Amino acid sequence: MYFKLRTIALMVSLFVMSCGHINESSDIRDPHNFYKKGLSKPIAFDLDKIKARGTLRAIVFEGPTSYFLYKGQPMGFEYELLKHFAKYLDVDLKLIVAKNFDELGELLNTGEGDLIAHGFTVTLDRQKSFLFSDYLYLTKQVLVQKKPDNWRTMKLHEIDKVLKHDPIHLIGDTVTIRDHSSYKMRLENLMNEIGGLIHMNIVDSAISTDELIHLVHNGDIKYTIADNTIAKVFAYHFKDLHVSTPISFSQRASWVLRKNTSKLKAALDQWITSMKKRTDYYVIYNRYFKNRSSILRHVESDYYFNRTGQISPYDDLIKKYAEKLPWDWILLASQVYQESRFDPNAKSWARAHGLMQIMPSTAKELGIKNTANPEESLKGGTSYLLDLWKAWTSIPDYNERIKFTLASYNAGLYHIKDAVQLTKIMGGNPMLWDDHVEQAVLKLTLKKYYTLPDIKYGYVQGTEPVNYVKDILKRHRLYQSFFEEDI
């Protein structure tokens, strides 16, 4: 549904923008360039409170460099850096996926997120309302234009004659840009500098720069503006694009914070300074901005969620067999990824096999003849999950019961029953997983606990089921962030 609505919004925006040329009487100084007017007062929630909560809430965008799913795996320049920063702060990471640029200020100031992890250029107007981190990289804005249709048969000087190589040649022409963007502000300033009018077709802030670049490539619009880092990624694939005409000088690309988060900014700046001295930073940067063939293979792949709307090739099967479970298909997909990375031929050291990593003895009990068959694996795995769910009727809370069920799938029902018994012995709450039964599971790695008289099934490698539950639920939240308009 989200992708259909996005397409409709794009078509409507393109119709509306054809009527929206700016003229010389327009207000060309708009400090609200990536948020709507009427911005809320920033809440008081700095680094000390973030650490006390134990979670960094980061606002991100979907896109081929920032944050996306590929073969069910979250990826992206901002995403990878955020994982490092959260680890540096010793907190968990929660992502808030923004759908529109003009909602960013509200999401940040109301406390929905603690920072905006996106490479925004630092401007004087923006600094009036927000703090900016030390820059993560330098960029510049470039004109994205299409070469002539027959450019392959033309000589270089003939192609050059058709293209714009200086911004001054845009006077009297039309450029399509997103509302509330630094590109719009740059064009406004450019008109001042060159003393001439450039018509601006303004599209809704929900339309991404990536989509506008595709429209240039398709011939639907004439020009747009993009950061050179993004433009070069697409120009590597779309050979008919020219992205070498600069519209700005070098600019700092930084993350955005609330005005009253000086402690968070100090920690972030210190981390950025340290991170940019490490090889890890340049490996991540090169992965998304330099290794263009790799990133575009992802984007054009059937496994690229942002384009296809699918987590895996088995979404339809997962949805089909999730219907028998008392939780959503996205949670089941999160578990399938954890088990097999969506590889139906995956095999573990313990001989578990298939999408759901079913053990040979379990397969025999469930009547599964071919564990490599995706449908058989999902049918058998979900049947087993349902049996485990029914085995935990003693757990009254729905979310807690899910954790016990998942842990049982990984470690075995009776090992988790042992952990419940050990929790009672230790004076914990046997109805709660976090900090109670999960701690008992960890202790069952130690001989002095798994040899107690009341423990019937012995040793467990406790970190496996504990991490299994945490990783699936964390991935479930990530997947939900992509589907939040549909669920």
Side-chain angles (χ1 to χ4, degrees), residues 94-229:
K94 178 176 174 59
L95 299 183
I96 312 298
V97 181
K99 300 301 181 187
N100 296 293
F101 278 77
D102 55 18
E103 69 177 346
L104 289 175
E106 280 298 293
L107 288 175
L108 187 61
N109 276 3
T110 58
E112 184 72 18
D114 302 312
L115 57 81
I116 302 170
H118 187 76
F120 278 107
T121 52
V122 183
T123 68
L124 291 175
D125 276 337
R126 287 174 172 175
Q127 286 178 304
K128 292 175 184 176
S129 300
F130 299 97
L131 294 178
F132 285 81
S133 71
D134 190 6
Y135 71 90
L136 290 155
Y137 55 89
L138 294 176
T139 186
K140 65 175 64 174
Q141 296 179 17
V142 295
L143 184 70
V144 180
Q145 56 187 317
K146 189 178 182 182
K147 299 172 187 175
D149 289 339
N150 60 336
W151 67 275
R152 291 186 184 276
T153 64
M154 299 170 66
K155 296 178 180 178
L156 284 176
H157 74 274
E158 293 174 328
I159 298 173
D160 285 343
K161 277 185 179 180
V162 181
L163 299 174
K164 307 285 189 186
H165 293 284
D166 192 301
I168 202 166
H169 296 142
L170 289 171
I171 292 175
D173 221 322
T174 302
V175 180
T176 302
I177 46 174
R178 187 178 60 247
D179 203 6
H180 308 305
S181 68
S182 59
Y183 310 133
K184 178 173 179 281
M185 178 184 291
R186 179 61 199 138
L187 266 190
E188 291 166 345
N189 290 336
L190 181 62
M191 283 188 272
N192 236 356
E193 294 164 11
I194 64 179
L197 176 65
I198 300 171
H199 299 289
M200 292 194 293
N201 276 346
I202 310 298
V203 300
D204 189 88
S205 60
I207 308 303
S208 70
T209 301
D210 309 342
E211 289 169 315
L212 291 178
I213 292 174
H214 273 87
L215 290 174
V216 174
H217 163 67
N218 293 335
D220 296 319
I221 61 176
K222 197 172 182 182
Y223 308 112
T224 192
I225 297 174
D227 288 348
N228 67 328
T229 48

Side-chain angles (χ1 to χ4, degrees), residues 19 38 56 140 195 223 242 289 349 408:
C19 308
L56 175 71
K140 65 175 64 174
Y223 308 112
H242 182 276
F289 294 120
W349 64 270
S408 300

Side-chain angles (χ1 to χ4, degrees), residues 1 23 29 31 41 88 92 111 166 251 271 305 315 320-321 328-329 342 361-362 420 459 474:
M1 178 63 73
N23 57 51
R29 298 298 297 166
K41 182 180 178 181
Y88 173 80
D92 290 333
D166 192 301
Q251 297 174 306
W271 171 78
F305 174 87
D315 283 9
K320 174 182 174 180
Y321 286 102
D328 63 62
W329 77 272
F342 300 123
S361 58
T362 307
V420 168
Y459 170 84
K474 185 182 293 185

